[in-house]
Amino acid sequence: MEHQNEQQEHKQTHHIISYKEHFSTLVALLLLTVLTVSISVFGAELRSLSVATALLIASVKALVVAYYFMHLKYDLKIYRWLVLLVMVLFVVFLVLTSIEYLNR
Amino acid sequence: MEHATGFVLPNSGHNRDAEASKMGMWLFLFTELLLFGGLFLVYMVYRMLNPEAFLLSSFELNITLGTINTVVLLVSSMTIAMSITAIMRGDSKKSVLLLYLTLAASVIFMIIKFFEWSAKINYGYFPGMEVYQNLPDGESLFFFLYFFMTGLHALHVIIGAVLIAVVIYRTQKGLVTAQKYTLTENAGLYWHLVDLIWIFLFPLLYLIH
């Protein structure tokens, strides 16, 4: 059993992602781009909403790039934890700066 | 001399460790993310202070060109990811071809950027120019950040293109193989970072109407 796990882990670190999977990732990213541009161009009257959705869609796109193109899906878990750590760190900076400026 | 782990390169006297090399690349990418992260914070603060001016100035940017550049970068991200698949399968010819496509995409991106910048500079929006000097505070801040952030990003595109050219050269010389493709992988990671940053720059600068 343990031996099997080891083998699986070994396989995971050297997993070859197929061309098809990369192409599907691109299609997903292009669809998200179409979505975010059309919301901005056609939904101009929903101003604050469109900024929030634009950032939300950008974050989803960034996660898709990191997870599939940057191989996070098949890499060791430590990379996912590190990425999460850096994201949390940035959000902390963001929140602290906002609080500081909103209270002036 | 026997080592418990890793593989000793003949006559080199040191170990090659693909995993450590990738980890090093990721740690470097984190510092890059925080560099741009700081700029995003500057953007956020100035935008909170000058919402109307930022909105008004963003209308000056060309959404069509920005969208084309987004698509160019996304496609190039796929081609470099595919070139890693190719080299892992031992098909170095296909890997090189896909790297050339990525390189071509970086050139297209820079050409489009050149036309975009030229248009803005012709209007006199470049920091230091006369029109720029007479802009209201908020608008000059927007154009300063526009030129600074897209400029720093373009610098990364150029560095990425040089890196990809090095990978092409070394793959053609047979120095990158199915057993030893760390260079391609790390160049890929760097190129994806360039794409990631653009994914955020594009909506923040172009799509804020």
Side-chain angles (χ1 to χ4, degrees):
Chain A
M1 190 65 193
E2 204 172 301
H3 183 68
Q4 214 176 13
N5 276 347
E6 226 169 72
Q7 258 191 342
Q8 265 179 353
E9 204 156 283
H10 182 77
K11 248 189 196 166
Q12 267 180 359
T13 49
H14 297 283
H15 181 91
I16 301 181
I17 303 177
S18 67
Y19 297 120
K20 212 175 144 188
E21 194 173 346
H22 280 319
F23 184 72
S24 321
T25 308
L26 175 71
V27 171
L29 287 168
L30 290 179
L31 286 177
L32 286 168
T33 306
V34 170
L35 185 67
T36 190
V37 171
S38 41
I39 287 178
S40 157
V41 175
F42 303 116
E45 66 281 3
L46 311 161
R47 193 189 299 174
S48 56
L49 187 74
S50 78
V51 171
T53 33
L55 281 180
L56 185 73
I57 294 172
S59 308
V60 172
K61 280 168 78 180
L63 283 177
V64 169
V65 170
Y67 201 62
Y68 292 98
F69 281 165
M70 295 173 100
H71 297 223
L72 277 186
K73 185 181 175 189
Y74 300 103
D75 269 335
L76 300 175
K77 271 207 180 97
I78 177 107
Y79 294 101
R80 266 167 274 175
W81 284 110
L82 284 174
V83 169
L84 186 70
L85 183 75
V86 172
M87 285 190 324
V88 170
L89 189 67
F90 180 69
V91 171
V92 169
F93 288 155
L94 195 102
V95 171
L96 287 180
T97 317
S98 316
I99 292 173
E100 153 82 8
Y101 270 91
L102 288 174
N103 289 313
R104 283 203 174 183
Chain B
M1 201 167 86
E2 263 204 322
H3 282 265
T5 54
F7 162 80
V8 182
L9 225 58
N11 308 321
S12 72
H14 49 72
N15 291 327
R16 184 167 64 79
D17 188 340
E19 198 62 46
S21 161
K22 187 160 74 179
M23 178 62 83
M25 192 66 197
W26 270 103
L27 292 179
F28 167 65
L29 294 191
F30 291 148
T31 69
E32 291 271 46
L33 279 177
L34 290 178
L35 165 71
F36 278 94
L39 288 170
F40 282 122
L41 290 185
V42 172
Y43 172 91
M44 183 192 74
V45 166
Y46 283 137
R47 197 177 152 187
M48 281 197 305
L49 298 178
N50 312 280
E52 292 305 318
F54 269 52
L55 187 69
L56 209 66
S57 335
S58 85
F59 283 115
E60 298 291 324
L61 302 189
N62 190 329
I63 293 192
T64 316
L65 290 182
T67 309
I68 294 173
N69 260 351
T70 307
V71 173
V72 168
L73 276 192
L74 288 177
V75 171
S76 74
S77 251
M78 179 192 70
T79 55
I80 201 162
M82 281 180 164
S83 108
I84 296 168
T85 303
I87 196 73
M88 281 172 92
R89 287 182 177 169
D91 191 345
S92 63
K93 265 197 182 145
K94 200 178 213 171
S95 176
V96 166
L97 175 74
L98 286 159
L99 286 170
Y100 267 120
L101 286 176
T102 315
L103 195 61
S106 73
V107 173
I108 295 171
F109 181 91
M110 287 309 291
I111 291 172
I112 293 175
K113 195 95 258 169
F114 168 79
F115 283 116
E116 264 192 275
W117 270 43
S118 313
K120 303 286 166 301
I121 290 170
N122 279 338
Y123 282 128
Y125 287 144
F126 195 78
M129 286 178 141
E130 218 182 313
V131 177
Y132 173 86
Q133 306 275 27
N134 297 323
L135 282 175
D137 274 357
E139 286 169 47
S140 63
L141 274 171
F142 179 87
F143 282 108
F144 183 86
L145 282 171
Y146 165 77
F147 278 112
F148 194 83
M149 291 171 95
T150 59
L152 192 62
H153 178 261
L155 182 68
H156 282 75
V157 172
I158 294 169
I159 295 169
V162 172
L163 192 59
I164 290 165
V166 171
V167 182
I168 291 175
Y169 176 75
R170 290 182 71 90
T171 309
Q172 280 173 335
K173 286 202 107 186
L175 296 167
V176 178
T177 60
Q179 285 76 42
K180 200 175 152 225
Y181 52 86
T182 312
L183 186 67
T184 320
E185 224 175 17
N186 283 350
L189 285 176
Y190 188 82
W191 192 252
H192 294 312
L193 173 92
V194 169
D195 189 18
L196 275 185
I197 292 163
W198 184 257
I199 284 175
F200 283 100
L201 279 182
F202 173 60
L204 285 178
L205 294 174
Y206 293 74
L207 297 181
I208 59 178
H209 329 338

